[in-house]
Amino acid sequence: MSELSLLLVVDLVGIAVFAASGATAGVAKRLDLFGVVFVGFMAALGGGILRDVFVNVQPFAFVDWRYAAVAVVTSAATFWLHPTVSRLHWTVLVLDAAGLGLFTVTGTLKALDAGIPPVGACIIGMITGIGGGLIRDLLTGEIPTVLRREIYAVAGLLGCASVAALDALHMQRPVSIALAAVLVFVLRMIALRRNWSAPTAT
Amino acid sequence: MSELSLLLVVDLVGIAVFAASGATAGVAKRLDLFGVVFVGFMAALGGGILRDVFVNVQPFAFVDWRYAAVAVVTSAATFWLHPTVSRLHWTVLVLDAAGLGLFTVTGTLKALDAGIPPVGACIIGMITGIGGGLIRDLLTGEIPTVLRREIYAVAGLLGCASVAALDALHMQRPVSIALAAVLVFVLRMIALRRNWSAPTAT
Amino acid sequence: MSELSLLLVVDLVGIAVFAASGATAGVAKRLDLFGVVFVGFMAALGGGILRDVFVNVQPFAFVDWRYAAVAVVTSAATFWLHPTVSRLHWTVLVLDAAGLGLFTVTGTLKALDAGIPPVGACIIGMITGIGGGLIRDLLTGEIPTVLRREIYAVAGLLGCASVAALDALHMQRPVSIALAAVLVFVLRMIALRRNWSAPTAT
């Protein structure tokens, strides 16, 4: 498998996992089939849509039908199979961490390539990773989870900074993507295992 | 009346109806006059703004003052006349179905014309139709109605697919717009009459 | 100090105040440190991001790192110092009125310069001023304050209309910005002192 098609497959797996998380939230809120698929679609692709709006191009989610197809099919499958999906709780968390790592890192590079300076590119990269979950929570009437607990966005942000630094040092893209995405994944897994949280104000 | 000005008039009627729905929701939430007009404006023009952001042009709602004027005047009128508007419940539903048909179908064509492939164009068309109601519900603290019940977005989506197919077959635009918009309208009316809903998960 | 750097300083002060308002809302909702900083960032820069998305350029908040830096540092400081910030309630309201004046007026001019006609430019200017607060309230699960009470957006809108009119009369930019921003500031201050509100429907 070529590098490019490997990246595509990993990308689509991440989208499927994010779609499943959105669809599960929709089922929990008793949305109908359309609502479940819509929330799943937005959870999967909302972060990338925000990224593309900010770098000022037509969102990839609308340009390449495979992204929409994976999001819709996964969401619809979750609608019917949600008890099974719930039982896969830990598997979903692990794949979600992988998706977070990939989306934040590739989002940062896409922003850099569009001429956004490093600080802004890192913020856009982070929004690529957390934006879908934010939209999912807003659509289902919740204060976004990512703002309340656990090390999630911060792990993504460290990956963004790493890939921006490695890119400035002219490291080859596949290597820098892999290193930074693995960093995010490992941080997120450790945070989950040890119940790390960001502090709240006293 | 020329085709173009007929389309404009129908467009503005659709915007007025969507504005009335938004303003009514704002009145119900005890918003002040500004809040009622703002929610009405967003309910009327939010879908088109999202469409234009996604196809990457300056939103038409800001470029042509007539759209804003119709939305603002209708919303303000609803603020003062809302008991009358409420009594027109069925009229509003019928006009709303017409607006849904028009906005989804023309939104799809605008996306196609901007170079978005058919699948993405249909999704953008659907968001053009339901986006205003989504934003209205988010601004008034509700889980969006369109995600919870009734055949609404799905009717719109069938219209999007129809117009994309007819356009690929090189049917003349006024004919394909009319056919697809009427399809959406009829589906939506039947769904309302028969209380059709999408399924919810068990 | 040159005109340009004076404008930058005033801009950054406005951003700091809006960030403090967002961070304070985040602390009140028991968000964690990341959540507080994210809401502060969006409260400070969300209006400008919407403005830039609507005029169809890459958002300035991502292009110039100083904006993000001021928003993040102020939000983090508010996280630790929020009892002090709360005691500065009246100071924050005064600075917020100044920020509202500046953001609405410069937002209008930016939209005009991007080719948006006056009516649309005024609406974009107003959204520049109130957008951050809208996003702050949506992220923290509240119906936006700006839609419910007090003269806030309307003061901003009058400033937008003034600066658009003065600009059409070819008044020099620094003068028209100052006049219109002071108008907004004074209106907002009077409204606060006298508890002016927009009407609600009966």
Side-chain angles (χ1 to χ4, degrees):
Chain A
M1 199 182 278
S2 74
E3 258 161 34
L4 197 70
S5 63
L6 178 64
L7 201 60
L8 179 68
V9 169
V10 179
D11 218 12
L12 293 178
V13 170
I15 282 164
V17 174
F18 279 32
S21 87
T24 303
V27 168
K29 290 282 174 172
R30 314 267 324 130
L31 304 185
D32 65 17
L33 174 57
F34 172 77
V36 167
V37 170
F38 188 80
V39 175
F41 180 90
M42 280 299 164
L45 299 171
I49 290 172
L50 287 176
R51 175 201 61 207
D52 292 344
V53 167
F54 293 156
V55 305
N56 203 17
V57 298
Q58 291 181 343
F60 215 62
F62 301 123
V63 173
D64 184 333
W65 65 270
R66 291 173 297 188
Y67 287 76
V70 167
V72 168
V73 169
T74 310
S75 301
T78 303
F79 179 82
W80 281 292
L81 305 173
H82 63 97
T84 312
V85 173
S86 302
R87 244 176 285 126
L88 298 173
H89 183 61
W90 190 251
T91 312
V92 168
L93 281 178
V94 171
L95 289 172
D96 180 87
L100 175 70
L102 187 73
F103 290 172
T104 51
V105 165
T106 55
T108 304
L109 292 176
K110 185 157 186 181
L112 285 171
D113 289 345
I116 307 259
V119 170
C122 285
I123 300 171
I124 291 178
M126 189 196 66
I127 292 174
T128 311
I130 71 171
L134 270 173
I135 297 174
R136 173 200 66 207
D137 291 347
L138 291 179
L139 287 175
T140 53
E142 300 286 337
I143 296 182
T145 311
V146 69
L147 305 179
R148 284 187 296 176
R149 54 178 173 78
E150 296 178 0
I151 300 297
Y152 189 88
V154 173
L157 203 47
L158 290 172
C160 298
S162 306
V163 83
L166 295 175
D167 209 59
L169 297 169
H170 305 293
M171 185 175 280
Q172 281 193 308
R173 282 286 168 92
V175 182
S176 62
I177 291 175
L179 283 176
V182 166
L183 172 70
V184 175
F185 178 77
V186 168
L187 280 174
R188 173 73 183 138
M189 283 289 105
I190 296 176
L192 276 174
R193 279 285 185 195
R194 304 205 172 175
N195 270 311
W196 280 352
S197 308
T200 55
T202 48
Chain B
M1 197 181 283
S2 74
E3 256 162 35
L4 197 69
S5 63
L6 178 65
L7 200 60
L8 178 68
V9 168
V10 180
D11 218 12
L12 292 179
V13 170
I15 281 164
V17 174
F18 279 31
S21 88
T24 303
V27 167
K29 289 282 175 172
R30 315 266 324 129
L31 303 187
D32 65 17
L33 174 56
F34 172 76
V36 168
V37 171
F38 188 81
V39 175
F41 180 91
M42 281 299 163
L45 299 171
I49 290 173
L50 287 176
R51 174 201 63 206
D52 292 344
V53 166
F54 293 156
V55 305
N56 204 17
V57 299
Q58 291 182 343
F60 214 62
F62 301 122
V63 173
D64 186 332
W65 65 270
R66 292 174 296 189
Y67 288 76
V70 168
V72 167
V73 169
T74 311
S75 300
T78 304
F79 179 82
W80 281 292
L81 306 171
H82 63 97
T84 312
V85 173
S86 303
R87 242 175 287 126
L88 299 172
H89 184 62
W90 190 251
T91 312
V92 168
L93 281 177
V94 172
L95 290 172
D96 181 86
L100 176 71
L102 186 73
F103 291 172
T104 51
V105 165
T106 55
T108 305
L109 291 176
K110 184 157 187 181
L112 285 171
D113 290 344
I116 307 259
V119 170
C122 286
I123 299 172
I124 289 177
M126 187 196 66
I127 292 174
T128 309
I130 71 171
L134 269 173
I135 296 174
R136 173 199 67 206
D137 292 347
L138 291 179
L139 287 175
T140 53
E142 299 287 336
I143 295 181
T145 312
V146 69
L147 305 179
R148 285 186 296 178
R149 54 180 174 75
E150 297 178 0
I151 300 296
Y152 189 89
V154 173
L157 202 48
L158 289 172
C160 298
S162 306
V163 84
L166 295 175
D167 208 60
L169 297 170
H170 305 291
M171 184 175 282
Q172 281 191 309
R173 282 285 168 94
V175 183
S176 62
I177 291 175
L179 284 176
V182 167
L183 172 70
V184 175
F185 178 77
V186 170
L187 279 174
R188 173 72 185 137
M189 283 289 105
I190 297 176
L192 275 174
R193 280 280 184 199
R194 306 206 170 174
N195 269 312
W196 280 351
S197 309
T200 55
T202 48
Chain C
M1 197 182 279
S2 74
E3 258 162 33
L4 196 70
S5 63
L6 178 65
L7 200 63
L8 178 68
V9 168
V10 180
D11 217 13
L12 293 179
V13 170
I15 282 163
V17 174
F18 279 32
S21 88
T24 302
V27 167
K29 290 283 175 172
R30 315 265 326 131
L31 304 186
D32 66 16
L33 174 57
F34 173 76
V36 167
V37 171
F38 188 81
V39 175
F41 180 91
M42 281 299 164
L45 299 170
I49 291 172
L50 287 175
R51 173 201 64 204
D52 292 343
V53 167
F54 293 157
V55 306
N56 204 17
V57 298
Q58 291 182 344
F60 215 62
F62 301 123
V63 172
D64 185 332
W65 65 271
R66 290 173 298 188
Y67 288 77
V70 167
V72 167
V73 168
T74 310
S75 301
T78 304
F79 180 81
W80 280 292
L81 305 173
H82 63 96
T84 312
V85 173
S86 302
R87 244 175 284 127
L88 298 173
H89 183 60
W90 190 253
T91 311
V92 168
L93 281 177
V94 172
L95 289 172
D96 180 87
L100 176 70
L102 187 74
F103 291 171
T104 51
V105 166
T106 55
T108 305
L109 292 176
K110 185 158 186 179
L112 285 171
D113 289 345
I116 308 262
V119 170
C122 286
I123 300 172
I124 290 178
M126 188 196 66
I127 292 175
T128 310
I130 71 171
L134 270 172
I135 297 174
R136 173 199 66 206
D137 292 348
L138 291 178
L139 288 174
T140 54
E142 300 286 337
I143 295 181
T145 311
V146 69
L147 305 178
R148 285 186 295 177
R149 54 181 172 78
E150 298 178 357
I151 300 297
Y152 189 89
V154 173
L157 203 46
L158 289 172
C160 299
S162 307
V163 84
L166 295 176
D167 208 60
L169 297 170
H170 305 293
M171 184 175 282
Q172 280 194 307
R173 282 285 167 93
V175 182
S176 62
I177 291 175
L179 284 176
V182 166
L183 172 70
V184 175
F185 178 77
V186 169
L187 280 173
R188 173 71 184 139
M189 283 289 104
I190 296 175
L192 274 174
R193 280 281 184 198
R194 305 204 171 176
N195 270 313
W196 279 352
S197 308
T200 55
T202 48

